[in-house]
Amino acid sequence: MGELLCSFNEGNKQMRSLLGDKGANLSEMTGIGLPVPFGFVVTTKACNDFFDGGNVLSSQIIEEMEAKIREIEEVTGKKFGSGENPLLVSVRTSNVINIPAMAGSILNLGLNDETFKGLTKMGDMEFALDCYTRFLRTYGSIVRNIPQKSFISAYEEIKKKAEEVGENQYSEEAVLFDAIKEYKSIILKRTGRAFPENPFEQLKEAVSAILNRWNSYAVRSYRELHEIPKETGTAVVVQAMAFGNIDEKSCTGMVFTREPNTGEKVTCGRFMMKSQGGDDYFRDMKAVKIEKLEDFFPELNEKFLRMAQLLENYYKNMQEIEFTVERGKLYLLEAKAAGRTPSASVKIAVDMVDEGIVDRATSVANMRAEDVNKLVLSQFANGDEVDEETLENFNKILEWADDFRSVGIRANIDTPEDALMALNLGAEGVGLCRSEHMFFDEKRIYDFIRMIIADDEYERSKALSSMKPYQKEDFKRIFEIMEDRPVTIRLLDPSFHRFLPHTEADIKKLARKLRIPEKKLAAKILLMKEENPAMGKRGSRLAVLHPEIVMMQTEAIVEAAIEVSENTDSELNISIMVPFISSVREFMNVKDTIQKAVDSCLGSDRKKMEFAVGTMIETPRAALLSDMIAEQADFFSFGTNDLTELVYGISKEDTDNMIEEYVRKDILDKNPLYSLDKRGVGRMIEMSVMLGRKTKPKIKMGICGEHAADPDTIEFCQSIGINYFSCSTLRIPGARLAAAQAEIKSRGEK
């Protein structure tokens, strides 16, 4: 086989990136001896060559297509373009990644006025006419981009006129004859080019049209939204037709090996007698439940059910199977992992282990993190009731995932309530407690603002004294909930500027609340204004300029820890994190302040309680100096949100539209603010990890940005030695699953 075209008997399921899902599955099914109509795949490599060549099929692709058609002729005993026993083919999209806008099938390609005569000899006149009209419709809509409604309207008008003549004189054959003429006329009028009578010209046009869809506006938009690289490409399957519409012993249908809504182990689906795809609209036919297959095909039913079970066992996943019966002979046209609801997904995953079809690793690997996240959202965010069996299956899958997972999953929290929810969802600790968020409650925010606008150290100390009890009480509750699990508390990070009002009405309202003159408050806000707060007086810079804030926060942490320790046997595991540093001396300045506060609180008992002090690596300079910072820091936590913005020199708030345009113009593969940029930001993190561990081999390192729940980010960061991921509370179960899947994949590759 070559890289451009591949016959079904040359491919296999491992070649998915080259053959697409459909092509790889059909090749695999052919290889294990299942009844698959023979064919070949125009590969994703050919797709990229097609675009590199100016959206034109190269002479090499055309020559190989001719050879592959001859191969199908040899296998089937039919002849492409012949008036005697003609070979007809279907041309279908075969995506590597499912893209709805790419879906499309052209059926009965190869028909023209000459091959039509041969088709009438294979079946009857109505069968041949039905195939011809179907081909013209699918060719017209997919190859010539003519809306389906044009053909539907034409058919309805022809049928209406025929029915007006009278029931006794109505002829379906006459309607279809007229439809063929009208469809050809529509193709000519709408595109300025006549329908091609040459079958190989039809094939070249069909393959080119499907490849061109990869670069259509709809598909480009979908690729950009889902961050699918252009180079992924699409493949095209060309396959000998099996005719489910040839006689009364023929049908087409679709079957699921399990119930997709509930996950029950029952074969379900539908089929239509004497039909091809789309017959539910163009012909007065009703789909029949698959349970009735035995009534129509008693000799096939048991064989078909055995094949369905074989495919599920072979692929180790629930299957969706498309089939055709032609004159009593069964053909399988496609088998793929079936869609299912989130509740069905967890049930199937557990049941297939219990049935001995898969092991736990395969079951976990087959799950989708998005299904897990949807169940969490249903229960906690939307308040929907989730039945007991689904909850049991959900918890069992995550327990299995935890057995495979080698990295920690922690939570980003703001309040004790978040901590409790995180624990219930399986968090192993708190990777990021955003201490400033504890003041966002309306009862607390005004003390916080008084601290911000204080005129002198006395006023600020007074405000801090009011704030400290809030912090201490919240820390106590968090420590009590988390017991001996790790809790990392980030010191105050955002710029003061972000907490102050900026409109005249809001300033006036705040002045009344604080009982200070409006002009004084407005002047204070103006003095504190920052043009770029994200890179202004924030994080460690605030801590250096206002060490009294660090003292208050550290005292609240230590005093809370002492009080909780006196009432529990658990050994608390508390870390204090300095945000947004860019130098070793900056970190040491804040660390010294922290240590003074710790020593002051513990006094002579300080040896009884240890507090780790680490930092967030959020600036490129901190990443570059990681070896020196590691000499002083107990741990690193990579704040990927800020690090990404600073590496790219962009602001999330100001550049969303620009980034979308960059993705659209193929300057960026995907939005780096949502899925980690491995080549740039990822390389910087990898370098930082190596530098830090060169100095301190056992230093703990985590990820605590929004990327921490993204499966691709987890897989990459796990491979470079990250110890834990800390994400928003509701995404914890999905992160647990993704981390397990990354580990399972890593073991498989090794």
Side-chain angles (χ1 to χ4, degrees), residues 633-644:
D634 296 323
F635 64 90
F636 286 176
S637 181
F638 293 93
T640 53
N641 300 343
D642 279 310
L643 187 58
T644 298

Side-chain angles (χ1 to χ4, degrees), residues 1-2 6 10-20 23-24 27:
M1 63 157 281
C6 176
E10 297 172 322
N12 57 58
K13 64 182 179 182
Q14 276 74 42
M15 298 167 67
R16 200 169 303 278
S17 63
L18 188 67
L19 307 181
S27 296

